Amino acid sequence: MSTEKPALEVHNLTASYQRKPVLWEIDFALPAGKLVGIVGPNGSGKTTLLKNIMGLMQPDGGYVNLFGKKLDEVRQRVSYVPQRESVDWDFPASVLDVVQMGRYRRSNLFKRLSAEDKHVAAEALEKVGMLPYAKRQISQLSGGQQQRVFIARSLAQQADLYLMDEPFVGVDASTEESILTLLSEMKQEGKTVVIVHHDLQTAYDYFDWIVLLNTRLVAAGSKEEVFRSDLLQEAYGGRLTVLSKIGDLISRKDFPIREGEFKEKEGLGDG
Amino acid sequence: MDKFFAFFSFTDPNVRLVTFGTMFLGLSTAAVGSFAFLRKRSLIGDAIAHAILPGIALSFLFFQSKNPFLLMGGALVSGWLAMVSIEYISNKSKLKPDTAIGLVLSVFFGVGILLLTHIQHTGIGNQAGLDQFLFGKAAAIVKQDLYAYGIIAFLLLAVILLLFKEFKLLSFNPDFAQASGLPVQSLRFVLSTITVLAIALGIQSVGVVLMAALIITPSAAARAWTERLSVMMLLAGGIGAFSGLVGSYISFTAPNMPTGPWIVMCLSCIALASLFFSPRRGVLAKLLQQRKNRIKIVSENLLKALYHLQEQSDFQNRHFTEGDILEQRSFSQGDFHTALKKLKKEFWIMPITEKNRFQLSEKGVEEARRVVRLHRIWEMYLTERMRLKADHIHPNAETIEHIITPEIEEQLLEELGYPKKDPHESPIPYKA
C-alpha cells in the first residue's frame, strides 16, 4: 500500500535565507521508482530545495512528506549525497572511513560499527568501483573519485529514496558513465533517485522525470511533458521581476513570509 | 643542572604530582582541541578562553572560594554564554563571524579584567593566585585542585572515546550527520561543552591569553605527521603533555617565570619543526621532491640525447663521447654530471674507459625508448585530442614526458590506438 504513496511530496514550500525568499510555494509530488532531475539555472534554489527536504533547513511555510510520512519516521529509507565541495577533503580520513560513515545511525551511538556494517560499506565501495582505493587518503582522490566515495557512503545507507546534489559536476567521463550505470541499476531495484542537476543539455538523457525550477516551480512531470521550449524558456529566461521585488521588500522591511495566525493544514499523509 | 636532576628524578612527591597533573591537562586539552582544529574553530577557542575569565572571577566573588569545581562551573557558564553569543550574532545580524568573535572576546575579557582588578582591591581573603589565570602557573596549582582537574580531564577523554565516530562525522560533514538522523544538536552541545571545559582546564597551565595555542597548535603539529584522525589525536595529546612537562619544569626552576609562555614556546617549536619536516606536507619533503624531479628530468634528457644520437646514425653508431652528447643537447655543467652519475649508478650507460666514450646498456636502451615513446605519444595526443599544430607541440611534450606514469601511458596508447609514428613522422619506439 505504501507503493501507492508518492516517494516525495513537497507541499507549498517557501524557504528563505536571511529572510530573503529563495523558494516560492513549491508544490509537486514524485512517483516512486523514477530517476528524477531537479533542473534549473544557477541560483534557482535547487540545493535549498534539497536541504529543506532533508530537514537541514526549516521552511518558512509548507511541508514535505516522504513515502507519505514525516522525515523523522522514514529516516532510514532516505539518503542524502551533499555537494562534493561542501566538505574539506583534506580531512584526515581514508576512503573506507568516509563510506563507513554511512552506517552511523542513532541506534549505534556510542558503539563501534558491527561486522555487518563494515561488510555493507565494503560492498557499497565495490559498487562504485572504488574498493581498490579503500585505504587511500581522501585528500589524494580526484574529483570523480571523491564523488564516487560520496555516492558509496549513501549506498551504504541502503535507502529507498536517494537525494543527490550535483553529482555530475566536475567529474571525468568515466565517473559520469559509472554513475549513470549505477543509477539505472538502482532504478531497476525500484529505488527512487532525485538529482539536482544544472545542465539542461544532458538532463533529458539522464532522467525520466524532471522538476523544472527557478525560485518558483516552472513544471514537474515526465521528461516528455516538461521538455517543451516554452517551459524551458520560462525556467532559463531569468527570474520574475515582480517576485524578486517582493522578495527584496520582505527581506528589507522585515515582513513575515506567513502571517502568524495562519495555520497550515499539516497533512500527515495518512488520510 | 642540579635543578634539572632534582626535577627529573621526580623524588619530590609534590613535583611528581604537579608535573604529571599538568601533563595530563595538556594531553586532554590537546585531544579535545583536535576537533576544534578540524572544524576550523580556532578563533572561537581563543574567544572562549578569554570569555572564561569573568566566569571564574564571578564564581569567586559569589562563593568566596577557590574550590576548583565551583571555578570550573563559573568558567563553563561564561564560556558557554560567549559561544552562544557568537553564534547568535553571526546568525542574526549582518556582522561576519570574525567580527562577532572579536566583539565577544573583547567584551568578555574586558569584564573579566575589571572583575579581577576589583577582587584584588577588595582584598577578599585567599584571593591570591586568581591572577595566575592570565598567564598560567603550573607550580601554583594545589594538590587538591589537581585531583579535581584530573577527574574532569579524565571525563573529557572518556566522552571523546565514546563519541569518537560521531564527532568525526560531525567535524567532516555535519549536514550528512543530520541527514542520517544523528542527534546533531545534542552532539554539538556535548562537543561544545567538553571544548569549554578543556579550555578551562588548559588555562591552569597556560593562562587565558595564550590558551588558543594549547587548543590548536598540538593538532596542527600532529596533522603534519599523519593522515589518520586517531593517530593525530594521540600525537596531539602527546605533544600537549610534553609541553606541559617543559612548562612545569620551568615553573619549578624559575619561580618568577610564567608557565604559559614557555609551554607555548615549546609547542610552537614542535609545530614549526613539524611543518618543516613533515614527510608529506613539509617544506623539506617538497624540496627533496623537487630535487628528485630535477635529477629525473636531466637524466631522462641525457638518455634521450643518447637515443637520438643512435637514431641519427640508424643505430649503427653506439659509442659516444661527452662532446657528442653536448652537441646533441645542451646541459648545464652541473646537470650534466648529476645525470651522468645517475645513469652510471642505474647501469643505464656503460663507460668504455679507454676511449672516454659511453654506450647505452640494454636496460638503458629500454629506458631511453620509454622516454622517447612518451614524448612522441604525448605529441600525438596534443595534435589529435587538443588540436594543436605540429609546430607547437614540442615544448609541452618536453615537460610532460617526464611526468606520465605507466598507467597513463597505457591509457594514452589505448586512446590513440597504438600509433606507429608521431606527428613529425618519427617512429614511436615500443617495448622490445
Side-chain angles (χ1 to χ4, degrees), chain B residues 215-364:
Chain B
I215 285 269
I216 300 306
T217 322
S219 309
R223 182 71 182 93
W225 299 104
T226 175
E227 298 285 334
R228 288 183 55 193
L229 180 57
S230 49
V231 179
M232 184 189 116
M233 288 183 69
L234 283 175
L235 262 179
I239 293 169
F242 177 75
S243 306
L245 176 72
V246 172
S248 37
Y249 168 67
I250 288 167
S251 210
F252 272 102
T253 45
N256 288 323
M257 277 285 184
T259 318
W262 283 105
I263 292 186
V264 173
M265 285 300 287
C266 174
L267 280 173
S268 309
C269 289
I270 294 175
L272 275 179
S274 300
L275 292 181
F276 188 78
F277 291 110
S278 160
R280 247 212 230 109
R281 302 156 171 265
V283 180
L284 186 67
K286 209 173 251 175
L287 288 176
L288 286 176
Q289 179 68 48
Q290 280 168 1
R291 198 182 120 81
K292 221 174 110 191
N293 293 345
R294 176 102 206 112
I295 293 176
K296 181 172 155 71
I297 289 172
V298 292
S299 52
E300 286 182 354
N301 283 341
L302 190 63
L303 278 173
K304 223 168 41 167
L306 280 164
Y307 184 84
H308 285 147
L309 282 170
Q310 285 194 3
E311 204 175 35
Q312 279 154 21
S313 70
D314 265 334
F315 300 97
Q316 299 306 310
N317 195 358
R318 287 170 190 281
H319 305 168
F320 304 101
T321 62
E322 286 190 12
D324 292 338
I325 298 170
L326 286 169
E327 213 169 288
Q328 172 67 29
R329 187 190 180 108
S330 62
F331 289 92
S332 78
Q333 196 70 18
D335 280 353
F336 188 67
H337 289 288
T338 323
L340 268 186
K341 227 169 85 185
K342 158 98 174 163
L343 261 51
K344 282 180 193 161
K345 203 180 113 201
E346 301 278 350
F347 297 110
W348 285 339
I349 52 171
M350 310 297 231
I352 302 168
T353 16
E354 72 271 19
K355 293 188 203 151
N356 223 352
R357 282 164 182 270
F358 304 100
Q359 179 186 359
L360 281 169
S361 71
E362 221 169 282
K363 249 174 86 189

Side-chain angles (χ1 to χ4, degrees), chain A residues 87 91-105 108 113 117 121 138 149-150 152-154 156-157, chain B residues 164-173 176-177 180 182 229:
Chain A
V87 302
F91 194 85
S94 70
V95 166
L96 193 61
D97 283 338
V98 173
V99 177
Q100 285 179 348
M101 287 174 185
R103 302 303 296 170
Y104 296 4
R105 291 293 191 185
N108 61 16
L113 288 181
D117 286 329
I138 56 169
V149 168
F150 257 19
R153 179 177 68 172
S154 172
Q157 295 194 318
Chain B
F164 181 73
K165 74 180 199 308
E166 282 76 17
F167 287 160
K168 180 164 74 171
L169 178 52
L170 191 65
S171 310
F172 175 59
N173 194 350
F176 185 79
S180 304
L182 292 175
L229 180 57

Side-chain angles (χ1 to χ4, degrees), chain B residues 13-313:
Chain B
N14 199 39
V15 171
R16 201 159 56 213
L17 188 82
V18 172
T19 306
F20 290 144
T22 319
M23 287 172 73
F24 191 51
L25 294 194
L27 184 146
S28 57
T29 311
V32 177
S34 298
F35 289 113
F37 169 75
L38 289 171
R39 294 170 79 209
K40 308 193 174 19
R41 298 290 167 91
S42 319
L43 278 177
I44 293 194
D46 194 25
I48 292 171
H50 284 75
I52 276 173
L53 196 60
I56 289 175
L58 275 177
S59 159
F60 177 76
L61 271 177
F62 192 76
F63 296 106
Q64 305 272 324
S65 133
K66 280 198 297 184
N67 177 317
F69 287 109
L70 291 176
L71 292 184
M72 286 304 243
L76 190 60
V77 170
S78 68
W80 244 107
L81 211 61
M83 187 147 41
V84 173
S85 317
I86 290 170
E87 266 176 37
Y88 186 82
I89 292 173
S90 37
N91 287 341
K92 298 283 166 176
S93 77
K94 299 221 159 172
L95 295 178
K96 299 274 173 290
D98 61 335
T99 318
I101 290 172
L103 213 66
V104 169
L105 183 151
S106 39
V107 167
F108 275 73
F109 189 56
V111 172
I113 294 284
L114 276 180
L115 288 171
L116 220 55
T117 320
H118 171 73
I119 291 170
Q120 277 163 349
H121 286 288
T122 50
I124 301 170
N126 80 357
Q127 42 103 344
L130 272 188
D131 56 332
Q132 272 149 13
F133 283 113
L134 276 183
F135 291 111
K137 196 162 197 187
I141 307 178
V142 230
K143 203 164 149 189
Q144 290 84 336
D145 294 0
L146 211 53
Y147 284 129
Y149 294 137
I151 291 169
I152 296 171
F154 185 77
L155 281 176
L156 296 185
L157 290 177
V159 171
I160 287 186
L161 217 58
L162 274 174
L163 287 170
F164 181 73
K165 74 180 199 308
E166 282 76 17
F167 287 160
K168 180 164 74 171
L169 178 52
L170 191 65
S171 310
F172 175 59
N173 194 350
D175 273 358
F176 185 79
Q178 193 177 346
S180 304
L182 292 175
V184 168
Q185 286 306 329
S186 319
L187 285 172
R188 278 214 183 95
F189 177 83
V190 174
L191 188 52
S192 306
T193 307
I194 62 172
T195 310
V196 174
L197 278 175
I199 291 171
L201 281 182
I203 285 175
Q204 311 303 321
S205 39
V206 294
V208 165
V209 182
L210 296 169
M211 186 52 216
L214 191 52
I215 285 269
I216 300 306
T217 322
S219 309
R223 182 71 182 93
W225 299 104
T226 175
E227 298 285 334
R228 288 183 55 193
L229 180 57
S230 49
V231 179
M232 184 189 116
M233 288 183 69
L234 283 175
L235 262 179
I239 293 169
F242 177 75
S243 306
L245 176 72
V246 172
S248 37
Y249 168 67
I250 288 167
S251 210
F252 272 102
T253 45
N256 288 323
M257 277 285 184
T259 318
W262 283 105
I263 292 186
V264 173
M265 285 300 287
C266 174
L267 280 173
S268 309
C269 289
I270 294 175
L272 275 179
S274 300
L275 292 181
F276 188 78
F277 291 110
S278 160
R280 247 212 230 109
R281 302 156 171 265
V283 180
L284 186 67
K286 209 173 251 175
L287 288 176
L288 286 176
Q289 179 68 48
Q290 280 168 1
R291 198 182 120 81
K292 221 174 110 191
N293 293 345
R294 176 102 206 112
I295 293 176
K296 181 172 155 71
I297 289 172
V298 292
S299 52
E300 286 182 354
N301 283 341
L302 190 63
L303 278 173
K304 223 168 41 167
L306 280 164
Y307 184 84
H308 285 147
L309 282 170
Q310 285 194 3
E311 204 175 35
Q312 279 154 21
S313 70

